[in-house]
Amino acid sequence: MPALLMKTRRNVMIELNVSGMTCDRCADHVREALEKLPGVQSVEVSYPQRTASVAVDPGTPASALTFAVTRLGYQARLANSGPLPRQAHRCPRAVMKTPRTSR
């Protein structure tokens, strides 16, 4: 069976490539969004490897996972489905606000 879909005893592992994460907090955002989806049992997200490993109930569509990540402003594809472009996502917590100056 391909690496992107591996059956375990009660669930299926789906591997995603995630592009646009710029820090560990971005990985936390992705993990939190995926954990909220119906059918998701567990999630591991790696910022350095740009991956997410998601254990889901059988029948959970992979498209729901990629859509949840895309809604956050990142890009996600099933592993082994081609490279993702390396574009940065602006993490809302990583962007520092510049104080306004009077004119």
Coordinates of all heavy atoms in Angstrom, one line a residue:
M1 N 0.9 -1.2 0.0 CA 0.0 0.0 0.0 C 0.9 1.2 0.0 O 1.9 1.3 0.7 CB -0.9 -0.1 1.3 CG -2.0 0.9 1.2 SD -3.1 0.6 2.6 CE -4.5 -0.1 1.6
P2 N 0.6 2.3 -0.8 CA 1.4 3.5 -0.8 C 1.5 4.1 0.6 O 0.7 4.0 1.5 CB 0.6 4.5 -1.7 CG -0.4 3.6 -2.4 CD -0.6 2.4 -1.6
A3 N 2.6 4.9 0.8 CA 2.9 5.5 2.0 C 1.8 6.6 2.4 O 1.6 6.8 3.6 CB 4.3 6.2 2.0
L4 N 1.1 7.1 1.5 CA 0.2 8.2 1.8 C -1.1 7.6 2.5 O -1.8 8.3 3.2 CB -0.2 9.1 0.7 CG -0.8 8.5 -0.5 CD1 -2.3 9.0 -0.6 CD2 -0.1 8.9 -1.8
L5 N -1.4 6.4 2.3 CA -2.6 5.7 2.9 C -2.2 4.4 3.5 O -2.0 3.4 2.8 CB -3.7 5.5 1.9 CG -4.4 6.8 1.3 CD1 -5.4 6.4 0.2 CD2 -5.1 7.5 2.4
M6 N -2.0 4.4 4.8 CA -1.6 3.1 5.4 C -2.7 2.8 6.4 O -3.1 3.6 7.3 CB -0.3 3.3 6.2 CG 0.8 3.7 5.3 SD 2.4 3.8 6.1 CE 2.0 4.9 7.5
K7 N -3.3 1.6 6.3 CA -4.3 1.1 7.2 C -3.7 0.7 8.5 O -2.7 0.0 8.6 CB -5.1 0.0 6.6 CG -6.0 0.5 5.5 CD -6.9 -0.6 5.1 CE -7.8 -0.1 4.0 NZ -8.8 -1.2 3.5
T8 N -4.3 1.1 9.6 CA -3.9 0.6 10.9 C -5.1 -0.2 11.4 O -6.1 -0.5 10.6 CB -3.6 1.7 11.9 OG1 -4.7 2.6 12.0 CG2 -2.4 2.5 11.5
R9 N -5.2 -0.7 12.6 CA -6.3 -1.5 13.1 C -7.6 -0.9 12.9 O -8.5 -1.5 12.4 CB -6.1 -1.9 14.5 CG -4.9 -2.8 14.7 CD -4.8 -3.2 16.2 NE -3.6 -4.0 16.4 CZ -3.1 -4.3 17.5 NH1 -3.7 -3.9 18.6 NH2 -2.1 -5.1 17.6
R10 N -7.8 0.3 13.3 CA -9.2 0.9 13.2 C -9.2 2.2 12.4 O -10.3 2.8 12.3 CB -9.6 1.2 14.7 CG -9.9 0.0 15.4 CD -10.5 0.3 16.8 NE -10.6 -1.0 17.5 CZ -10.5 -1.1 18.8 NH1 -10.2 0.0 19.5 NH2 -10.6 -2.2 19.4
N11 N -8.1 2.6 11.9 CA -8.1 3.9 11.1 C -7.2 3.8 10.0 O -6.5 2.9 9.7 CB -7.9 5.1 12.1 CG -6.6 4.9 12.9 OD1 -5.6 4.3 12.4 ND2 -6.6 5.4 14.1
V12 N -7.2 4.9 9.2 CA -6.3 5.1 8.0 C -5.4 6.2 8.3 O -5.8 7.3 8.8 CB -7.2 5.3 6.8 CG1 -6.4 5.6 5.6 CG2 -8.2 4.2 6.6
M13 N -4.1 6.1 7.9 CA -3.2 7.2 8.1 C -3.1 7.9 6.7 O -2.9 7.3 5.7 CB -1.8 6.7 8.4 CG -1.6 6.2 9.8 SD -1.9 7.4 11.1 CE -0.6 8.5 10.8
I14 N -3.3 9.2 6.8 CA -3.2 10.0 5.6 C -2.0 11.0 5.8 O -1.9 11.7 6.8 CB -4.5 10.8 5.3 CG1 -5.6 9.9 5.0 CG2 -4.3 11.8 4.1 CD1 -7.0 10.5 4.8
E15 N -1.1 11.0 4.8 CA 0.1 11.9 4.9 C -0.1 13.0 4.0 O -0.5 12.9 2.8 CB 1.4 11.1 4.5 CG 1.6 9.9 5.3 CD 2.1 10.2 6.7 OE1 2.8 11.2 6.9 OE2 1.8 9.4 7.7
L16 N 0.1 14.2 4.5 CA 0.0 15.5 3.7 C 1.3 16.2 3.7 O 2.1 16.2 4.7 CB -1.0 16.4 4.4 CG -2.5 15.9 4.5 CD1 -3.3 17.0 5.3 CD2 -3.1 15.6 3.2
N17 N 1.6 16.8 2.6 CA 2.7 17.8 2.5 C 2.0 19.2 2.7 O 1.0 19.5 2.0 CB 3.3 17.8 1.1 CG 4.1 16.5 0.9 OD1 4.6 15.9 1.8 ND2 4.2 16.0 -0.3
V18 N 2.6 20.0 3.5 CA 2.0 21.3 3.9 C 3.0 22.4 3.5 O 4.1 22.3 4.0 CB 1.6 21.4 5.3 CG1 0.9 22.7 5.6 CG2 0.6 20.3 5.7
S19 N 2.6 23.4 2.8 CA 3.5 24.4 2.4 C 3.0 25.7 3.0 O 1.8 25.9 3.2 CB 3.5 24.6 0.9 OG 4.3 25.7 0.5
G20 N 4.0 26.6 3.3 CA 3.6 28.0 3.8 C 3.8 28.1 5.3 O 3.7 29.3 5.8
M21 N 4.1 27.1 6.0 CA 4.4 27.2 7.4 C 5.7 27.9 7.6 O 6.7 27.5 7.0 CB 4.4 25.9 8.1 CG 3.0 25.2 8.1 SD 3.0 23.6 9.1 CE 4.1 22.6 8.2
T22 N 5.8 28.9 8.5 CA 7.0 29.6 8.7 C 7.6 29.4 10.2 O 8.6 29.9 10.5 CB 6.8 31.1 8.5 OG1 5.8 31.6 9.3 CG2 6.4 31.4 7.0
C23 N 6.8 28.7 11.0 CA 7.2 28.6 12.4 C 6.5 27.4 13.0 O 5.5 26.9 12.5 CB 7.0 29.9 13.2 SG 5.3 30.4 13.3
D24 N 6.9 27.1 14.3 CA 6.2 26.0 15.0 C 4.7 26.4 15.3 O 3.9 25.5 15.4 CB 6.9 25.6 16.3 CG 8.2 24.9 16.0 OD1 8.2 24.1 15.0 OD2 9.2 25.1 16.7
R25 N 4.5 27.6 15.5 CA 3.1 28.1 15.8 C 2.2 27.8 14.6 O 1.0 27.4 14.7 CB 3.1 29.5 16.2 CG 1.7 30.0 16.7 CD 1.3 29.3 17.9 NE -0.1 29.6 18.2 CZ -1.1 28.8 18.5 NH1 -0.9 27.5 18.6 NH2 -2.3 29.2 18.7
C26 N 2.7 28.0 13.4 CA 2.0 27.6 12.2 C 1.6 26.1 12.2 O 0.4 25.8 11.9 CB 2.8 27.9 10.9 SG 3.1 29.6 10.6
A27 N 2.5 25.3 12.6 CA 2.3 23.9 12.7 C 1.2 23.6 13.7 O 0.3 22.7 13.5 CB 3.5 23.1 13.0
D28 N 1.2 24.4 14.8 CA 0.1 24.2 15.8 C -1.2 24.6 15.2 O -2.2 23.9 15.5 CB 0.4 25.1 17.0 CG 1.6 24.7 17.9 OD1 2.0 23.5 17.8 OD2 2.1 25.5 18.6
H29 N -1.3 25.7 14.4 CA -2.6 26.1 13.8 C -3.1 24.9 12.9 O -4.3 24.6 12.9 CB -2.4 27.3 12.9 CG -2.2 28.5 13.7 ND1 -1.3 29.5 13.3 CD2 -2.7 29.0 14.9 CE1 -1.4 30.5 14.2 NE2 -2.2 30.2 15.2
V30 N -2.2 24.3 12.1 CA -2.6 23.3 11.2 C -3.1 22.1 12.0 O -4.2 21.5 11.8 CB -1.4 22.8 10.3 CG1 -1.8 21.6 9.5 CG2 -1.1 24.0 9.3
R31 N -2.4 21.7 13.1 CA -2.8 20.6 13.9 C -4.1 20.8 14.6 O -5.0 20.0 14.5 CB -1.7 20.3 15.0 CG -2.1 19.1 15.9 CD -1.1 19.0 17.1 NE -0.8 20.2 17.8 CZ -1.6 20.8 18.7 NH1 -2.8 20.3 19.0 NH2 -1.2 21.9 19.2
E32 N -4.3 22.0 15.1 CA -5.6 22.3 15.8 C -6.8 22.3 14.8 O -7.9 21.8 15.1 CB -5.5 23.7 16.4 CG -4.6 23.7 17.6 CD -4.2 25.1 18.1 OE1 -4.6 26.1 17.4 OE2 -3.4 25.3 19.0
A33 N -6.6 22.8 13.6 CA -7.7 22.7 12.6 C -8.0 21.3 12.2 O -9.2 21.0 12.1 CB -7.3 23.5 11.4
L34 N -7.0 20.5 12.0 CA -7.2 19.1 11.6 C -7.9 18.3 12.7 O -8.8 17.5 12.5 CB -5.9 18.4 11.2 CG -5.3 19.0 9.9 CD1 -3.9 18.4 9.7 CD2 -6.2 18.6 8.7
E35 N -7.5 18.6 14.0 CA -8.1 17.8 15.1 C -9.6 18.1 15.3 O -10.3 17.3 15.8 CB -7.4 18.2 16.4 CG -6.0 17.6 16.5 CD -5.2 18.1 17.8 OE1 -5.6 19.1 18.3 OE2 -4.3 17.3 18.2
K36 N -10.1 19.2 14.8 CA -11.5 19.6 14.9 C -12.4 18.9 13.9 O -13.6 18.9 14.1 CB -11.7 21.1 14.8 CG -11.1 21.9 15.9 CD -11.2 23.4 15.6 CE -10.6 24.2 16.7 NZ -10.7 25.6 16.5
L37 N -11.8 18.2 12.9 CA -12.6 17.6 11.9 C -13.2 16.3 12.3 O -12.6 15.5 13.0 CB -11.7 17.4 10.6 CG -11.2 18.6 9.9 CD1 -10.3 18.2 8.8 CD2 -12.3 19.5 9.4
P38 N -14.4 16.0 11.9 CA -15.0 14.7 12.2 C -14.2 13.6 11.6 O -13.8 13.7 10.5 CB -16.4 14.8 11.6 CG -16.6 16.2 11.1 CD -15.3 16.9 11.1
G39 N -14.1 12.5 12.3 CA -13.4 11.3 11.8 C -11.9 11.4 12.1 O -11.2 10.3 11.9
V40 N -11.3 12.5 12.6 CA -9.9 12.6 12.8 C -9.6 12.0 14.2 O -10.2 12.4 15.2 CB -9.4 14.0 12.7 CG1 -7.9 14.1 13.2 CG2 -9.5 14.5 11.3
Q41 N -8.7 11.0 14.3 CA -8.3 10.4 15.6 C -7.1 11.0 16.2 O -7.0 11.2 17.4 CB -8.1 8.9 15.3 CG -9.3 8.2 14.8 CD -10.5 8.2 15.8 OE1 -10.3 8.1 17.0 NE2 -11.6 8.5 15.3
S42 N -6.1 11.3 15.4 CA -4.9 12.0 15.9 C -4.2 12.7 14.7 O -4.3 12.3 13.6 CB -3.9 10.9 16.5 OG -3.4 10.0 15.6
V43 N -3.3 13.6 15.1 CA -2.6 14.5 14.1 C -1.2 14.7 14.7 O -1.0 15.1 15.8 CB -3.3 15.8 13.9 CG1 -2.6 16.7 12.9 CG2 -4.8 15.6 13.5
E44 N -0.2 14.6 13.8 CA 1.1 15.1 14.0 C 1.6 15.9 12.9 O 1.5 15.5 11.7 CB 2.1 13.9 14.2 CG 1.9 13.0 15.4 CD 2.9 11.9 15.5 OE1 4.0 12.1 15.0 OE2 2.5 10.9 16.1
V45 N 2.0 17.2 13.2 CA 2.4 18.1 12.2 C 3.9 18.5 12.4 O 4.3 18.8 13.6 CB 1.6 19.4 12.2 CG1 2.0 20.4 11.1 CG2 0.1 19.0 11.9
S46 N 4.7 18.5 11.4 CA 6.1 18.8 11.5 C 6.4 20.1 10.6 O 6.3 20.0 9.4 CB 7.0 17.7 11.0 OG 8.3 18.1 10.9
Y47 N 6.7 21.2 11.3 CA 7.1 22.4 10.6 C 8.4 22.1 9.8 O 8.4 22.4 8.6 CB 7.2 23.6 11.5 CG 8.1 24.7 11.0 CD1 7.8 25.4 9.9 CD2 9.3 25.0 11.7 CE1 8.6 26.4 9.4 CE2 10.1 26.0 11.3 CZ 9.8 26.7 10.1 OH 10.6 27.7 9.6
P48 N 9.5 21.6 10.4 CA 10.7 21.4 9.6 C 10.5 20.5 8.4 O 11.1 20.7 7.3 CB 11.7 20.8 10.6 CG 11.1 21.1 11.9 CD 9.7 21.2 11.7
Q49 N 9.7 19.5 8.5 CA 9.5 18.5 7.4 C 8.3 18.9 6.5 O 8.2 18.3 5.4 CB 9.3 17.1 7.9 CG 10.5 16.6 8.6 CD 10.3 15.2 9.2 OE1 9.2 14.7 9.2 NE2 11.3 14.6 9.6
R50 N 7.6 19.9 6.9 CA 6.4 20.4 6.1 C 5.4 19.3 5.8 O 5.0 19.1 4.7 CB 6.9 21.0 4.8 CG 7.7 22.2 5.0 CD 8.2 22.9 3.7 NE 8.1 22.1 2.5 CZ 7.8 22.6 1.3 NH1 7.6 23.9 1.2 NH2 7.7 21.8 0.3
T51 N 5.1 18.5 6.9 CA 4.2 17.3 6.7 C 3.2 17.3 7.9 O 3.4 17.9 8.9 CB 5.0 16.0 6.8 OG1 5.7 15.9 8.0 CG2 6.0 15.9 5.6
A52 N 2.1 16.6 7.6 CA 1.1 16.3 8.6 C 0.7 14.8 8.4 O 0.4 14.4 7.3 CB -0.1 17.2 8.4
S53 N 0.7 14.1 9.5 CA 0.3 12.7 9.5 C -1.0 12.7 10.3 O -1.0 13.0 11.5 CB 1.3 11.8 10.2 OG 2.6 11.9 9.5
V54 N -2.1 12.2 9.6 CA -3.4 12.3 10.2 C -4.0 10.9 10.2 O -4.1 10.2 9.2 CB -4.3 13.2 9.4 CG1 -5.6 13.4 10.2 CG2 -3.6 14.5 9.2
A55 N -4.4 10.4 11.4 CA -5.1 9.1 11.6 C -6.6 9.4 11.6 O -7.0 10.2 12.4 CB -4.7 8.4 12.9
V56 N -7.3 8.8 10.6 CA -8.7 9.1 10.5 C -9.5 7.8 10.4 O -9.0 6.7 10.1 CB -9.0 9.9 9.2 CG1 -8.3 11.2 9.2 CG2 -8.6 9.1 7.9
D57 N -10.8 7.9 10.7 CA -11.7 6.8 10.5 C -11.8 6.4 9.1 O -11.7 7.3 8.2 CB -13.1 7.2 11.0 CG -13.2 7.4 12.5 OD1 -12.3 6.9 13.3 OD2 -14.1 8.2 13.0
P58 N -12.0 5.2 8.8 CA -12.2 4.8 7.4 C -13.4 5.6 6.8 O -14.4 5.8 7.4 CB -12.5 3.3 7.4 CG -11.9 2.8 8.7 CD -12.0 4.0 9.6
G59 N -13.2 6.0 5.6 CA -14.3 6.8 4.9 C -14.2 8.3 5.1 O -14.9 9.0 4.4
T60 N -13.3 8.7 5.9 CA -13.0 10.2 6.0 C -12.3 10.7 4.8 O -11.2 10.2 4.4 CB -12.2 10.5 7.3 OG1 -12.8 10.0 8.4 CG2 -11.9 12.0 7.4
P61 N -12.9 11.6 4.1 CA -12.2 12.1 2.8 C -11.0 12.9 3.0 O -11.0 13.8 3.9 CB -13.3 12.9 2.1 CG -14.2 13.3 3.2 CD -14.1 12.3 4.3
A62 N -9.9 12.6 2.3 CA -8.7 13.3 2.4 C -8.9 14.8 1.9 O -8.3 15.7 2.4 CB -7.6 12.7 1.5
S63 N -9.9 15.0 1.1 CA -10.2 16.4 0.6 C -10.6 17.2 1.8 O -10.4 18.5 1.8 CB -11.2 16.3 -0.5 OG -12.4 15.8 0.0
A64 N -11.3 16.7 2.8 CA -11.7 17.5 4.0 C -10.4 18.0 4.7 O -10.4 19.1 5.2 CB -12.6 16.6 4.9
L65 N -9.4 17.1 4.7 CA -8.2 17.5 5.4 C -7.5 18.6 4.7 O -7.1 19.6 5.3 CB -7.2 16.3 5.6 CG -7.8 15.0 6.2 CD1 -6.8 13.9 6.2 CD2 -8.3 15.3 7.6
T66 N -7.3 18.5 3.4 CA -6.6 19.5 2.6 C -7.4 20.8 2.6 O -6.8 21.9 2.7 CB -6.3 19.0 1.2 OG1 -7.6 18.7 0.5 CG2 -5.4 17.8 1.1
F67 N -8.7 20.7 2.6 CA -9.5 21.9 2.6 C -9.4 22.7 3.9 O -9.2 23.9 4.0 CB -11.0 21.6 2.4 CG -11.9 22.8 2.4 CD1 -11.9 23.7 1.3 CD2 -12.8 23.1 3.4 CE1 -12.7 24.8 1.3 CE2 -13.6 24.2 3.4 CZ -13.6 25.0 2.3
A68 N -9.3 21.9 5.0 CA -9.1 22.6 6.4 C -7.8 23.3 6.4 O -7.7 24.4 7.0 CB -9.2 21.5 7.5
V69 N -6.8 22.7 5.9 CA -5.4 23.4 5.9 C -5.5 24.6 4.9 O -4.9 25.7 5.3 CB -4.3 22.4 5.5 CG1 -3.0 23.1 5.3 CG2 -4.3 21.3 6.5
T70 N -6.1 24.5 3.8 CA -6.1 25.5 2.8 C -6.9 26.7 3.4 O -6.6 27.9 3.1 CB -6.8 25.1 1.5 OG1 -6.0 24.0 1.0 CG2 -6.8 26.1 0.5
R71 N -8.0 26.5 4.2 CA -8.8 27.6 4.8 C -7.9 28.4 5.7 O -8.2 29.6 5.9 CB -9.9 27.0 5.5 CG -11.1 26.6 4.6 CD -12.3 26.1 5.4 NE -12.7 27.2 6.3 CZ -13.4 26.9 7.4 NH1 -13.8 25.7 7.7 NH2 -13.7 27.9 8.2
L72 N -6.8 27.9 6.2 CA -5.9 28.6 7.1 C -5.0 29.5 6.3 O -4.3 30.3 6.9 CB -5.1 27.7 8.0 CG -5.9 26.8 9.0 CD1 -5.0 25.8 9.7 CD2 -6.6 27.7 10.0
G73 N -4.9 29.3 5.0 CA -4.0 30.1 4.2 C -2.7 29.3 3.8 O -1.8 29.9 3.2
Y74 N -2.6 28.0 4.2 CA -1.5 27.2 3.8 C -1.9 26.4 2.6 O -3.0 26.4 2.1 CB -1.1 26.3 4.9 CG -0.8 27.0 6.2 CD1 -1.8 27.0 7.2 CD2 0.4 27.7 6.4 CE1 -1.5 27.7 8.4 CE2 0.6 28.4 7.6 CZ -0.4 28.3 8.6 OH -0.1 29.0 9.8
Q75 N -1.0 25.6 2.0 CA -1.3 24.7 0.9 C -1.0 23.3 1.4 O -0.1 23.1 2.1 CB -0.4 25.0 -0.3 CG -0.7 26.4 -0.9 CD 0.2 26.6 -2.1 OE1 1.1 25.9 -2.4 NE2 -0.1 27.7 -2.8
A76 N -1.9 22.4 1.0 CA -1.7 21.0 1.4 C -2.1 20.1 0.2 O -3.0 20.4 -0.5 CB -2.7 20.7 2.6
R77 N -1.3 19.0 0.1 CA -1.5 18.0 -0.9 C -1.2 16.7 -0.3 O -0.4 16.6 0.7 CB -0.6 18.2 -2.1 CG -0.9 19.3 -2.9 CD -0.1 19.3 -4.2 NE -0.3 20.5 -5.0 CZ 0.6 21.0 -5.8 NH1 1.7 20.4 -6.0 NH2 0.3 22.1 -6.4
L78 N -1.8 15.6 -0.8 CA -1.5 14.3 -0.4 C 0.0 14.0 -0.7 O 0.5 14.5 -1.7 CB -2.3 13.2 -1.1 CG -3.8 13.2 -0.7 CD1 -4.5 12.2 -1.6 CD2 -4.0 12.8 0.7
A79 N 0.7 13.4 0.2 CA 2.1 13.0 0.0 C 2.2 12.3 -1.3 O 1.3 11.5 -1.7 CB 2.6 12.2 1.2
N80 N 3.3 12.4 -2.0 CA 3.6 11.7 -3.2 C 2.7 12.2 -4.4 O 2.6 11.5 -5.4 CB 3.5 10.2 -3.1 CG 4.4 9.7 -2.0 OD1 5.5 10.2 -1.8 ND2 3.9 8.7 -1.3
S81 N 2.0 13.3 -4.2 CA 1.2 13.8 -5.3 C 1.8 15.0 -6.0 O 1.2 15.7 -6.7 CB -0.2 14.2 -4.9 OG -0.2 15.3 -4.0
G82 N 3.1 15.2 -5.8 CA 3.8 16.3 -6.5 C 4.3 17.3 -5.5 O 3.8 17.4 -4.4
P83 N 5.3 18.1 -5.9 CA 5.9 19.1 -5.0 C 4.9 20.3 -4.8 O 4.1 20.6 -5.7 CB 7.1 19.5 -5.7 CG 6.9 19.3 -7.2 CD 5.9 18.1 -7.2
L84 N 5.1 20.9 -3.7 CA 4.3 22.2 -3.4 C 5.3 23.3 -3.6 O 6.5 23.2 -3.3 CB 3.9 22.2 -1.9 CG 2.7 21.3 -1.6 CD1 2.6 21.1 -0.1 CD2 1.4 21.9 -2.1
P85 N 4.7 24.4 -4.0 CA 5.6 25.6 -4.2 C 6.0 26.1 -2.8 O 5.3 26.0 -1.8 CB 4.7 26.6 -4.9 CG 3.3 26.2 -4.7 CD 3.4 24.7 -4.5
R86 N 7.2 26.7 -2.7 CA 7.7 27.2 -1.4 C 7.3 28.6 -1.3 O 8.1 29.5 -1.5 CB 9.2 27.1 -1.4 CG 9.7 25.7 -1.1 CD 11.2 25.7 -0.8 NE 11.6 24.5 -0.3 CZ 11.7 24.1 1.0 NH1 11.4 24.9 1.9 NH2 12.1 22.9 1.3
Q87 N 6.1 28.9 -0.8 CA 5.7 30.2 -0.6 C 5.4 30.4 0.9 O 4.8 29.5 1.5 CB 4.5 30.7 -1.5 CG 3.2 30.0 -1.1 CD 2.1 30.4 -2.1 OE1 2.3 30.3 -3.3 NE2 1.0 30.9 -1.6
A88 N 5.7 31.5 1.4 CA 5.6 31.8 2.8 C 4.1 32.2 3.1 O 3.5 32.9 2.3 CB 6.5 32.9 3.3
H89 N 3.7 31.8 4.2 CA 2.4 32.2 4.7 C 2.6 33.1 5.9 O 3.5 32.9 6.7 CB 1.6 31.0 5.2 CG 0.4 31.3 6.1 ND1 -0.8 31.7 5.5 CD2 0.2 31.3 7.4 CE1 -1.6 31.9 6.5 NE2 -1.1 31.7 7.6
R90 N 1.9 34.2 6.0 CA 2.1 35.1 7.1 C 1.4 34.7 8.3 O 0.2 34.8 8.4 CB 1.7 36.5 6.7 CG 2.7 37.1 5.7 CD 2.4 38.6 5.6 NE 3.4 39.2 4.8 CZ 4.3 40.0 5.4 NH1 4.3 40.4 6.6 NH2 5.3 40.5 4.6
C91 N 2.1 34.1 9.3 CA 1.5 33.6 10.5 C 1.0 34.9 11.3 O 1.8 35.8 11.5 CB 2.5 32.9 11.3 SG 1.9 32.3 12.9
P92 N -0.3 34.9 11.7 CA -0.8 36.1 12.4 C 0.0 36.4 13.7 O 0.1 37.5 14.1 CB -2.2 35.8 12.6 CG -2.5 34.5 12.0 CD -1.3 33.9 11.5
R93 N 0.5 35.4 14.3 CA 1.2 35.6 15.6 C 2.6 35.9 15.4 O 3.3 36.4 16.3 CB 1.0 34.4 16.5 CG -0.4 34.1 16.7 CD -0.7 33.6 18.1 NE -2.1 33.7 18.4 CZ -2.8 32.7 18.8 NH1 -2.3 31.5 18.9 NH2 -4.1 32.8 19.0
A94 N 3.2 35.7 14.2 CA 4.6 36.0 13.9 C 4.8 37.4 13.3 O 5.9 37.9 13.4 CB 5.1 34.9 12.9
V95 N 3.7 38.0 12.8 CA 3.8 39.3 12.2 C 3.8 40.3 13.4 O 2.9 40.3 14.2 CB 2.6 39.6 11.3 CG1 2.7 41.0 10.7 CG2 2.7 38.6 10.1
M96 N 4.8 41.2 13.4 CA 4.8 42.2 14.5 C 4.2 43.5 13.9 O 4.5 43.9 12.8 CB 6.3 42.4 14.9 CG 6.9 41.1 15.3 SD 8.2 41.2 16.6 CE 8.0 42.7 17.5
K97 N 3.4 44.1 14.7 CA 2.8 45.4 14.3 C 3.8 46.5 14.5 O 4.5 46.6 15.6 CB 1.6 45.6 15.1 CG 0.5 44.7 14.8 CD -0.8 45.1 15.4 CE -1.9 44.1 15.0 NZ -3.2 44.5 15.5
T98 N 3.9 47.4 13.5 CA 4.8 48.6 13.6 C 4.0 49.7 14.2 O 2.9 50.0 13.7 CB 5.3 48.9 12.2 OG1 5.8 47.8 11.6 CG2 6.4 49.9 12.3
P99 N 4.5 50.4 15.2 CA 3.8 51.5 15.8 C 3.6 52.6 14.8 O 4.5 52.9 14.0 CB 4.6 52.0 17.0 CG 5.9 51.3 16.8 CD 5.8 50.2 15.9
R100 N 2.5 53.3 14.8 CA 2.2 54.4 13.9 C 3.0 55.6 14.4 O 3.1 55.9 15.6 CB 0.7 54.7 13.8 CG 0.0 53.7 13.0 CD -1.4 54.2 12.9 NE -2.1 53.5 11.8 CZ -3.3 53.8 11.4 NH1 -3.9 54.8 11.8 NH2 -3.8 53.1 10.4
T101 N 3.4 56.4 13.4 CA 4.1 57.7 13.8 C 3.2 58.8 13.3 O 2.5 58.7 12.4 CB 5.5 57.8 13.1 OG1 5.3 57.6 11.7 CG2 6.4 56.7 13.6
S102 N 3.2 59.9 14.0 CA 2.4 61.0 13.7 C 3.0 61.8 12.5 O 4.2 61.9 12.4 CB 2.3 62.0 14.9 OG 1.8 61.3 16.0
R103 N 2.2 62.3 11.7 CA 2.7 63.1 10.5 C 2.5 64.5 10.8 O 1.6 65.0 11.3 CB 2.0 62.6 9.3 CG 2.5 61.2 8.9 CD 1.9 60.9 7.5 NE 2.3 59.6 7.2 CZ 2.2 59.0 6.1 NH1 1.6 59.7 5.1 NH2 2.6 57.8 5.9

